[in-house]
Amino acid sequence: MAEIVLDNVAHSYDGGVTYALKKIDMTWQDGKAYALLGPSGCGKTTLLNIMSGIIKPSQGRIYMDGVDITDKPTEDRNIAQVFQFPVLYDSMTVRKNLEFPLKNRKLPADEIHRRVEEIAVLLGLENDLDIRPGKLRSDLQQIVSLGRGLVRSDVAAVLFDEPLTVIDQNFKWTLRNRLKRLHLQTGVTLVYVTHDQTEALTFADDVLLMKDGEVVQTGSAEDLFLAPEHEFAGYFIGSPGMNFLDVDVTQSLVTFQGIELGMASEAGLTGSLRVGVRPEFVLPGGKDGVPMKVQKVENRGGFQLLKLGLGDQIIISKVESDVVVNEGETHNFVFVPERTFLFDDKVKRATVAPAGKRR
Ligand code: ATP
């Protein structure tokens, strides 16, 4: 296992006209589980393929434990990769497919046998070891592919490119948990590409949230949810995502269409900015807060989504099922101060608290 460093790495597929991956500097710590999360086309696979050696970056260097591996081919990098669709030899049984990476490393026969049995149990393949992959359902074939990626215990990192796409929804949960368990047991560095926030957030220690070829925020699931550094983290993470309001800031006073929302925590911010607040932090305020008209109440089983009118905009509030509000009523709602953010050019600059609560 190893520490992998990306130094000033970027990649363009068209000779520098556009960059699929903009400049990234990053250290992948030995033994951590990472997720690359973002919408289709944001550069996740490009970044993964640069690490595995499938793509040579048009700029920058890659180091593994201090050794420059930028020019090394995939097979010399000691990295395993699992793709979106099964990559298997159908002329061999499942067992032989799983043995293959170990035989290549010339491991002793008894160790090969032990590892293959272990991985087969972990992935539920014990009864399929002696048949050819072509005889298995496509999702089971993909699980064999996963097994091939995981069977070596001496790899520097295992890279997964949306490996569960073809797996049945119910089994996805089981597999994700088993992968997580395997990670905890072995301490191997895992990098996992996905566009599914639940998958990323349940799986990874650190999530790299990507947009348009850039990492906009790196952090835990909690960081991305509670302390988004970029509007995109507010928008992409959460269900539903963050509410945004175009506000005016004058001498720290934040107003939306003439309605006072509070004071910015940082002086010096001024003009047209955006406030972002998650539905979970728009709460009934009793005698405090801003009056909003309840336009719709949706019971979602376990919680309610309220659509609230503020100025000419709809604000979404996510509240417990036992909160009693009715459509057509007007109630005060508060934006929880430490969870209400002021963004300037999409980047978080301050929080917003009611006047008198400025911190
Ligand atoms: P997806 O989730 O759809 O796989 P992604 O986030 O993995 O997307 P990439 O596949 O890395 O994104 O693609 C990033 C950008 O680079 C996209 O605009 C894509 O069209 C472009 N791209 C990817 N591969 C190539 C290629 N071989 N040649 C030219 N452009 C490419």
Side-chain angles (χ1 to χ4, degrees), residues 11-14 18-21 37-49 55 84 161-162 193-195 210 213:
H11 189 66
S12 169
Y13 289 100
D14 52 16
T18 56
Y19 275 79
L21 185 69
L37 174 67
S40 184
C42 71
K44 305 181 296 293
T45 299
T46 303
L47 176 53
L48 203 73
N49 288 345
I55 293 175
Q84 206 168 357
D161 195 350
E162 307 229 20
V193 163
T194 180
H195 60 265
M210 296 184 68

Side-chain angles (χ1 to χ4, degrees), residues 1 8 36 68 75 83 123 127 170 202 208 214 235 265 273 275 298 301 320 337 339-340 345:
M1 278 159 263
N8 197 21
L36 304 182
D68 188 338
E75 54 277 17
F83 299 91
L123 297 176
N127 299 324
N170 296 323
T202 53
L208 282 74
E214 270 179 303
Y235 159 82
S265 61
L273 286 93
V275 156
E298 289 176 17
E320 307 273 325
R339 301 285 167 230
T340 305
D345 197 17

Side-chain angles (χ1 to χ4, degrees), residues 293-298 305-309 314-316:
K293 185 168 181 187
V294 181
Q295 304 206 341
K296 200 154 180 46
V297 179
E298 289 176 17
L305 285 186
L306 312 179
K307 293 191 173 160
L308 308 169
I314 296 293
I315 305 287
I316 309 283

Side-chain angles (χ1 to χ4, degrees), residues 2-265:
E3 181 183 87
I4 301 170
V5 172
L6 302 183
D7 178 16
N8 197 21
V9 164
H11 189 66
S12 169
Y13 289 100
D14 52 16
V17 180
T18 56
Y19 275 79
L21 185 69
K22 294 175 188 150
K23 189 172 100 59
I24 174 166
D25 284 301
M26 149 130 205
T27 299
W28 307 78
Q29 285 168 16
D30 190 6
K32 261 193 162 180
Y34 294 92
L36 304 182
L37 174 67
S40 184
C42 71
K44 305 181 296 293
T45 299
T46 303
L47 176 53
L48 203 73
N49 288 345
I50 285 173
M51 291 177 71
S52 67
I54 292 174
I55 293 175
K56 183 169 176 218
S58 26
Q59 148 186 339
R61 310 303 297 174
I62 307 161
Y63 300 90
M64 194 181 281
D65 278 342
V67 177
D68 188 338
I69 57 160
T70 319
D71 298 313
K72 281 197 178 178
T74 308
E75 54 277 17
D76 293 344
R77 289 195 180 193
N78 202 19
I79 280 176
Q81 190 163 2
V82 180
F83 299 91
Q84 206 168 357
F85 299 103
V87 181
L88 297 167
Y89 298 106
D90 200 40
S91 57
M92 301 177 184
T93 60
V94 168
R95 181 188 297 281
K96 290 216 173 335
N97 268 279
L98 293 175
E99 285 174 352
F100 193 77
L102 304 176
K103 284 192 169 159
N104 266 350
R105 311 287 291 181
K106 304 203 178 351
L107 258 66
D110 57 340
E111 196 177 334
I112 293 179
H113 183 77
R114 187 182 54 75
R115 267 310 278 173
V116 167
E117 293 290 326
E118 266 176 27
I119 289 295
V121 169
L122 181 91
L123 297 176
L125 292 170
E126 309 94 300
N127 299 324
D128 300 319
L129 283 173
D130 296 314
I131 51 178
R132 289 178 199 279
K135 298 257 184 281
L136 295 173
R137 292 196 322 260
S138 62
D139 57 343
L140 287 176
Q141 292 180 24
Q142 178 64 357
I143 290 166
V144 181
S145 271
L146 271 177
R148 273 173 58 103
L150 295 167
V151 76
R152 278 177 55 199
S153 54
D154 62 339
V155 284
V158 186
L159 313 183
F160 297 101
D161 195 350
E162 307 229 20
L164 305 187
T165 307
V166 294
I167 308 289
D168 172 75
Q169 196 61 32
N170 296 323
F171 196 43
K172 262 188 194 176
W173 277 102
T174 313
L175 268 184
R176 221 182 279 147
N177 288 335
R178 288 184 187 173
L179 283 178
K180 181 127 194 154
R181 201 171 73 214
L182 182 94
H183 173 247
L184 293 173
Q185 278 169 7
T186 61
V188 66
T189 308
L190 298 183
V191 184
Y192 191 100
V193 163
T194 180
H195 60 265
D196 177 338
Q197 57 166 303
T198 315
E199 205 154 287
L201 301 178
T202 53
F203 176 80
D205 302 315
D206 268 359
V207 177
L208 282 74
L209 181 65
M210 296 184 68
K211 179 180 187 293
D212 300 335
E214 270 179 303
V215 177
V216 297
Q217 186 170 355
T218 302
S220 65
E222 198 174 80
D223 293 337
L224 290 169
F225 186 79
L226 292 178
E229 291 298 327
H230 191 280
E231 283 188 14
F232 186 67
Y235 159 82
F236 196 75
I237 307 286
S239 179
M242 200 169 233
N243 296 290
F244 290 104
L245 302 100
D246 291 322
V247 296
D248 177 73
V249 183
T250 307
Q251 293 181 337
S252 296
L253 180 67
V254 181
T255 53
F256 170 67
Q257 297 177 2
I259 305 160
E260 287 189 11
L261 298 183
M263 302 295 285
S265 61

